[in-house]
Every structure is written in structure tokens, then in C-alpha cells.
Amino acid sequence: MTDKKIILISIVIPVYNSEKTISKIVDKLVAELEQKYNLEIILVNDCSKDRSEEVCIAIYKKYRKIVRFFSLSKNVGEHNTVMAGLNKARGDYAVIMDDDFQNPVSEAVRLIETAVKNDFDVIYTFCEKSQRPLFRRLGSWFANKTAEIILKKPAGLYLSSFKIINRFTIDKIKKYNLPFTYIDGLILQTTGNIGKIRVQEHKRSTGKSGYSLKKLFALWLNMVFNSSARPLLISRKKRQQFTIRKAYEAIPPQE
């Protein structure tokens, strides 16, 4: 049996206005995973308006050997923030999860276990009854239907933000350095070796979603532009929309 401690797991969490939740999430992740795997937790602050940056720095100081924290110079949205995290991830696998406890840590553990035991490049999660607001559910439904047409997404696959991807997929995604970043589009362009598992989803524990109808529409545009050759040719001189302003990491880079 494979020694799990030699497997490096990267947990990538885009952080936005989560000063009240992010510490508890990291504490639970460390408690559940540190003894099982070689672990790194990558927090990327997308210009939060609250004390998230200050809280994340405190988390880094508490878990210097595990946590790496990066703060972006401007607000760029979830997918660009995740891309910034994936560019820094060193893991054999990277789990992408939210900062608000809607993705239970216990389900992240189960997602990792499923990935390690199987040979999928990507595993998406889905739940029978989402706890997200109605407009978010409608937006996700519309995005998934659009993806079936534009990206040839399998009809039974739900493109959730909570997922795990392997090193092969991380390395392929990292090569994309143009605007209109849409992580799921890049995944579907990279591999068809995709699994899925059912998970539980909790209600948001505090605050409200950072998504608005405007942001959901922007995400839909990202999907369209990411998958169209013409817009990418027009925007060839533009590059990724994130810039790291601050970095806190005690672990030396491993080339």
C-alpha cells in the first residue's frame, strides 16, 4: 500500500471577505490531514474588503510549515484567484475549495481519499440538494448547460468549484497565461478522464456570497472567450489578470 505521507496534497482556497471563517477551516484541515498526508494549504486573498489579509497572515505564522499565503494586487475574481494558487501549488494533487465552510472539511478528506485510490485526472463533486441561493443555483445550471454546448461537457457532469485535480492536470492548466481564465474550460480541454462523487454541502456559516448576477455573467463570458479561438487571437497581447502583491511562505521552492 502506498505510504500516504509521501503524497503531497495542496489545498487551494481563494479567499474573499472570509475573516470569520478562514481560520476555522485551516485549523480543521490541518487537524484532519496533517497526520495522513504531506500537506500544504495555499491561501490566495482576492483583495478582500475585511480583515482577511491580516487573519491569513496570522494563520501563516501559526502554521509556517504548512500554510502559504499570497495576496493579489487587485480583485480578479474566483477563477483567476484559483489560477494564482495553482501556479504556486507543488502537490501531487490539488483540492480547490471555498472559504466559507459550504464545503465540509470531512468531504475534502473523502475527496482526497477517492483521488488517491483511483486514477482520475480530475474528480468533481455534486450534491443532491444545494444550499446556495436560488440565483447561484440558476447561474450554475445555465453555465453547465452552456458548457455542454461550447465545451462538449458530458451531460451528467456538474462543474462544481469543489474538486481535486492531479499533477498532470495542474501542469497543463498552468501553461495557460491569457485573459478570460475559466478553470473548468481548461480542465475539459485537457482531459476526459474525469470522475465525480456525491458530497454534502452546508449552508454558508456567516456573511453572504461574493457572487452577484454581474459576476455570474462575467463567469459565463469567461467560459465563452476561453473556448473561442477568435477572442484569444484578438487578446493575444494580454496576459493573466492577477499579480501577487505579497507572499508569505516558509517552505523553500522545490524545482
Side-chain angles (χ1 to χ4, degrees):
M1 184 176 179
T2 303
D3 182 1
K4 293 179 180 179
K5 284 296 287 185
I6 69 173
I7 299 174
L8 176 56
I9 301 295
S10 300
I11 310 288
V12 177
I13 305 179
V15 176
Y16 185 71
N17 292 350
S18 58
E19 63 177 7
K20 296 181 180 179
T21 57
I22 192 63
S23 291
K24 295 177 183 177
I25 291 173
V26 173
D27 286 343
K28 286 185 69 68
L29 285 168
V30 172
E32 292 287 339
L33 293 170
E34 184 185 19
Q35 299 304 316
K36 297 180 180 179
Y37 300 98
N38 190 6
L39 177 67
E40 68 171 7
I41 299 174
I42 300 173
L43 307 177
V44 186
N45 179 34
D46 190 19
C47 272
S48 298
K49 297 178 181 179
D50 63 1
R51 295 176 55 255
S52 290
E53 179 169 306
E54 180 181 337
V55 172
C56 286
I57 292 172
I59 295 170
Y60 159 76
K61 291 179 178 178
K62 182 178 180 180
Y63 298 113
R64 288 177 183 269
K65 293 183 178 181
I66 297 175
V67 171
R68 304 167 66 199
F69 172 58
F70 303 94
S71 190
L72 303 183
S73 61
K74 66 177 183 177
N75 181 269
V76 295
E78 180 182 359
H79 284 252
N80 276 302
T81 304
V82 170
M83 179 65 88
L86 291 177
N87 270 271
K88 295 296 183 180
R90 303 174 185 138
D92 299 295
Y93 300 89
V95 176
I96 302 169
M97 62 186 298
D98 289 344
D99 60 355
D100 56 10
F101 268 121
Q102 289 192 273
N103 306 141
V105 171
S106 59
E107 298 290 42
V109 174
R110 195 161 66 87
L111 182 58
I112 294 167
E113 294 284 353
T114 303
V116 171
K117 292 177 182 178
N118 292 276
D119 191 36
F120 293 115
D121 294 325
V122 183
I123 300 177
Y124 280 95
T125 63
F126 69 97
C127 58
E128 295 296 341
K129 187 175 181 180
S130 176
Q131 300 296 324
R132 298 174 189 273
L134 177 60
F135 82 94
R136 282 290 305 275
R137 298 200 301 271
L138 290 174
S140 295
W141 176 85
F142 181 71
N144 272 269
K145 287 298 181 182
T146 304
E148 289 179 16
I149 299 171
I150 297 178
L151 304 176
K152 308 301 181 184
K153 179 188 74 69
L157 181 66
Y158 175 67
L159 300 180
S160 60
S161 59
F162 183 30
K163 52 186 165 277
I164 188 168
I165 61 180
N166 66 5
R167 185 75 251 170
F168 164 78
T169 310
I170 295 168
D171 288 340
K172 292 296 183 182
I173 288 175
K174 284 169 58 177
K175 293 180 181 180
Y176 181 85
N177 67 344
L178 295 170
F180 313 116
T181 302
Y182 181 57
I183 298 294
D184 298 307
L186 296 173
I187 287 173
L188 291 173
Q189 290 171 5
T190 298
T191 182
N193 183 27
I194 299 173
K196 59 182 181 179
I197 65 169
R198 181 188 290 108
V199 297
Q200 296 296 317
E201 185 176 270
H202 292 169
K203 290 184 178 180
R204 189 179 179 92
S205 61
T206 184
K208 61 181 181 179
S209 172
Y211 267 102
S212 61
L213 288 175
K214 180 179 179 181
K215 288 186 176 181
L216 286 172
F217 180 66
L219 177 61
W220 180 82
L221 288 178
N222 276 348
M223 182 194 305
V224 174
F225 281 108
N226 176 263
S227 308
S228 170
R230 234 173 114 191
L232 290 181
L233 288 173
I234 294 172
S235 305
R236 185 62 62 180
K237 293 183 180 180
K238 295 183 179 180
R239 289 297 179 258
Q240 287 178 347
Q241 301 300 298
F242 63 84
T243 303
I244 292 174
R245 180 174 59 87
K246 294 181 182 179
Y248 293 81
E249 50 181 342
I251 307 173
Q254 300 173 1
E255 299 297 339

